Amino acid sequence: MKDIQFDRHRRLRTSDTLRSMVRETWLRKEDLIYPLFVVEGENIHKEVSSMPGVFHLSLDGVVKEMTELVNLGIKSIILFGVPKEKDPLGGQAYHDHGIVQEATRLIKSEFPEMVVIADTCLCQYTDHGHCGIIENGQVLNDPTLDLLARTAVSQAKAGADIIAPSNMMDGFVAAIRRGLDEAGFIDTPIMSYAVKYSSSFYGPFRDAAHSSPQFGDRKTYQMDPANRLEALREAESDVNEGADFLIVKPALSYLDIMRDVKDRFPLPVVAYNVSGEYSMIKAAAQNGWVNEKEIVMEKLTSMKRAGADLIITYHAKDAAAWLSN
């Protein structure tokens, strides 16, 4: 054996302290963005059946939820609204007193330091469940852009710190940027769902947001999971149109895409750790098949390692508590 030459990589793994000293990737509480589902009504605190630990909250329960998040050290949330009334044009999305707008005002008045990100889409608000105007069974791109811009402006007026358009219409960032600028919100950043795949991992979210399409699917505007170069084209368009952050959604099955986007564009990259990824781990943990803490932290760290600067995740509260300990 004395004549064999080889490297001693294990020297840097001999203790927890030494392993921490040479750790390349760190997850922080500041990296976590918690999704919040706000609904119209009173005294509503109802768990989403397919997402254990995630709740529909009416406005009268939002302050308590926000207090918990602040105490955990979470500094940013993304708001999704579930309205009572829906119509073909998704009017509640851009109503000045829509559920997201009202929740934003409440949160910013009580917790001014919390960063409020407003999801900007129409699917939760349309009676057909698609992300745009429908004509003859087709989602119309250009007419939808005006409604998205109106939604973004109404959310910014309500106090949203960041606008996060998720609709995947061509030109949506340019339309929203112009709308915000013309309304005087030149300093409001856009966190674009730049790379959003037509994924099977969205099922529990559609249960939570009541946003399943009533006919067809979203494959004509969300991306084919088999495509990689298309993701770079989509991201480049959003960068050129004025995006300030780039979201890759879903995260776990698209870590390669996340790394491509991070290497190619000089903007913060956001991983969306989606509902299906969350629910699978929750189900496995409840059955005792996996160690929830260890697998969640490994998963979130993998997203950071792949290039994510921030992570939208339903695990945020648990992860923040684990990081504190």
Side-chain angles (χ1 to χ4, degrees):
M1 292 292 296
K2 66 174 67 172
D3 296 328
I4 298 176
Q5 299 296 317
F6 55 88
D7 296 323
R8 297 280 184 181
H9 300 292
R10 293 180 57 191
R11 289 172 181 154
L12 302 183
R13 304 173 193 155
T14 53
S15 71
D16 185 63
T17 301
L18 191 54
R19 290 190 295 272
S20 296
M21 289 175 62
V22 298
R23 185 161 296 143
E24 301 173 31
T25 304
W26 289 90
L27 180 69
R28 308 173 306 151
K29 289 185 285 186
E30 290 82 357
D31 302 329
L32 306 173
I33 301 170
Y34 186 63
L36 206 62
F37 293 96
V38 288
V39 301
E40 294 181 318
E42 296 180 350
N43 300 316
I44 298 173
H45 185 264
K46 182 179 180 182
E47 189 172 42
V48 178
S49 60
S50 57
M51 300 178 70
V54 175
F55 294 84
H56 285 143
L57 293 173
S58 51
L59 290 178
D60 50 15
V62 166
V63 170
K64 181 179 179 181
E65 180 78 0
M66 295 302 301
T67 300
E68 179 184 1
L69 295 174
V70 169
N71 290 338
L72 285 168
I74 295 171
K75 300 182 181 299
S76 55
I77 61 167
I78 183 166
L79 281 178
F80 298 95
V82 184
K84 281 185 177 179
E85 298 181 3
K86 301 188 178 191
D87 61 70
L89 299 180
Q92 288 299 308
Y94 41 89
H95 196 290
D96 284 342
H97 295 285
I99 184 61
V100 164
Q101 288 81 353
E102 291 296 322
T104 300
R105 292 187 186 96
L106 173 61
I107 293 167
K108 293 303 293 185
S109 67
E110 297 289 331
F111 305 91
E113 298 304 313
M114 177 66 68
V115 174
V116 174
I117 305 164
D119 179 79
T120 305
C121 198
L122 302 178
C123 60
Q124 298 106 289
Y125 306 92
T126 57
D127 54 11
H128 46 74
H130 280 285
C131 303
I133 297 173
I134 299 293
E135 186 176 289
N136 297 323
Q138 301 295 317
V139 180
L140 302 183
N141 192 92
D142 295 9
T144 297
L145 298 179
D146 293 334
L147 298 185
L148 294 171
R150 287 178 61 183
T151 302
V153 170
S154 72
Q155 292 170 337
K157 285 180 178 178
D161 298 289
I162 299 172
I163 299 301
S166 58
N167 55 90
M168 288 297 284
M169 296 297 111
D170 291 337
F172 70 100
V173 172
I176 289 172
R177 183 73 271 160
R178 183 171 72 174
L180 290 172
D181 290 352
E182 290 178 350
F185 297 102
I186 60 174
D187 292 324
T188 300
I190 295 175
M191 181 181 286
S192 172
Y193 286 68
V195 180
K196 183 177 180 180
Y197 285 90
S198 180
S199 171
S200 298
F201 285 98
Y202 300 153
F205 174 89
R206 292 174 182 172
D207 179 27
H210 299 170
S211 62
S212 296
Q214 297 304 300
F215 65 90
D217 53 42
R218 294 176 178 151
K219 293 181 180 180
T220 64
Y221 45 102
Q222 295 179 359
M223 288 176 48
D224 185 339
N227 290 356
R228 186 173 194 161
L229 295 179
E230 183 183 10
L232 298 179
R233 295 196 298 271
E234 287 279 3
E236 185 174 18
S237 292
D238 288 5
V239 171
N240 292 338
E241 291 173 20
D244 301 283
F245 302 81
L246 301 174
I247 297 176
V248 176
K249 180 182 180 181
L252 194 58
S253 292
Y254 299 86
L255 296 178
D256 59 325
I257 306 300
M258 200 178 305
R259 173 47 60 188
D260 287 343
V261 171
K262 182 64 176 179
D263 289 344
R264 180 77 172 266
F265 304 105
L267 293 179
V269 173
V270 184
Y272 198 138
N273 177 204
V274 299
S275 59
E277 297 166 350
Y278 171 86
S279 295
M280 288 191 299
I281 287 179
K282 279 291 184 181
Q286 288 179 350
N287 280 284
W289 297 336
V290 298
N291 181 306
E292 183 175 0
K293 174 183 176 181
E294 291 182 1
I295 201 167
V296 168
M297 298 304 280
E298 181 178 344
K299 177 178 70 170
L300 297 179
T301 300
S302 77
M303 296 170 193
K304 289 281 291 182
R305 190 184 66 245
D309 298 285
L310 301 167
I311 304 173
I312 301 171
T313 178
Y314 305 97
H315 296 290
K317 290 198 287 188
D318 288 336
W322 293 330
L323 287 168
S324 293
N325 294 326

